[in-house]
Amino acid sequence: MREYQLNIEARFRPEVLERILRVTRHRGFQVNAISMSQVLGGNNVSIEITVNSRRPLNLLCSQLIKLADVFDIEIKQQAAKQSIVM
């Protein structure tokens, strides 16, 4: 399973976080961590989200960028997540 860290820039709307989480779930990604902060002097937010999945990241990003309030997605990190089973 691969882990991805994304930084999403969006307009602040009460429903924007819900939409991002819904798309993430529908595309088969699991949210590991999420942080949202409002950008100073504006109506925008920066959302840092860490997800994992066996699916390719472009399946998620291509749908997130279609959301009306999302205007930028930056891929910050990609790593293979290893688990040890004993």
Side-chain angles (χ1 to χ4, degrees), residues 1-45:
M1 198 169 293
R2 295 194 53 98
E3 185 171 271
Y4 307 99
Q5 186 177 3
L6 304 172
N7 187 27
I8 301 169
E9 300 294 325
R11 276 191 239 39
F12 178 70
R13 300 281 187 264
E15 67 278 359
V16 72
L17 191 55
E18 293 174 33
R19 288 181 179 157
I20 289 169
L21 291 173
R22 184 182 66 239
V23 169
T24 301
R25 180 176 53 87
H26 282 249
R27 293 296 162 206
F29 287 78
Q30 178 181 349
V31 176
N32 295 338
I34 190 165
S35 173
M36 183 174 87
S37 59
Q38 192 166 4
V39 177
L40 294 175
N43 291 328
N44 298 333
V45 291

Side-chain angles (χ1 to χ4, degrees), residues 49-67:
I49 186 168
T50 303
V51 297
N52 67 24
S53 181
R54 288 189 168 89
R55 305 182 103 195
L57 184 60
N58 66 341
L59 293 177
L60 176 60
C61 291
S62 65
Q63 295 303 310
L64 288 175
I65 201 68
K66 291 178 183 179
L67 295 175

